[in-house]
Amino acid sequence: MAFSLKGRVALIMLSGALLTVLVVLATAYHSLVDDLEQLYSQRQFNATVRAAEQVEQSLASRRLALESMAPQLSDGLQLLPLANLQARLARQPNVTRLFSGGASRI
């Protein structure tokens, strides 16, 4: 099947236009994928930072509670007996709330 000169020029121009459209689409697709990956990474980073801040705040609250309770847990020289410690810790609802695993295991 032989094409005329006009037909060949038209076919070459159509092929070039189609190739250009495909290249533009591929470039746009890769740009969108890169943007999506960057957005996802930023969201993951922000979620990690929020979780770390919550953990840090929780640890600071626990440390403050322990620092305020420390003088009450000894007679000045040594730690009080376990029964006395458990009784004192049981009277502290904040300590029980902060250390849900049990404050007597501290």
Side-chain angles (χ1 to χ4, degrees):
M1 182 154 108
F3 289 110
S4 67
L5 182 60
K6 283 184 185 181
R8 285 184 266 177
V9 169
L11 187 60
I12 290 172
M13 290 181 67
L14 186 62
S15 298
L18 183 60
L19 184 62
T20 303
V21 168
L22 289 176
V23 168
V24 168
L25 284 176
T27 303
Y29 175 76
H30 287 295
S31 294
L32 287 174
V33 167
D34 290 343
D35 288 346
L36 184 62
E37 286 176 354
Q38 184 179 3
L39 180 64
Y40 182 72
S41 296
Q42 186 64 39
R43 284 186 180 178
Q44 289 294 324
F45 177 76
N46 290 341
T48 302
V49 167
R50 280 194 304 274
E53 288 172 351
Q54 290 173 350
V55 168
E56 184 177 354
Q57 184 179 16
S58 174
L59 290 175
S61 298
R62 289 176 179 196
R63 187 184 72 237
L64 184 61
L66 287 174
E67 288 173 356
S68 67
M69 285 273 315
Q72 302 172 18
L73 302 178
S74 73
D75 60 5
L77 297 175
Q78 59 183 339
L79 199 58
L80 295 175
L82 184 58
N84 289 353
L85 287 175
Q86 288 175 335
R88 287 183 186 216
L89 291 173
R91 290 191 301 252
Q92 300 291 330
N94 288 336
V95 173
T96 305
R97 181 180 52 84
L98 288 173
F99 300 96
S100 60
S104 62
R105 293 189 174 109
I106 300 173

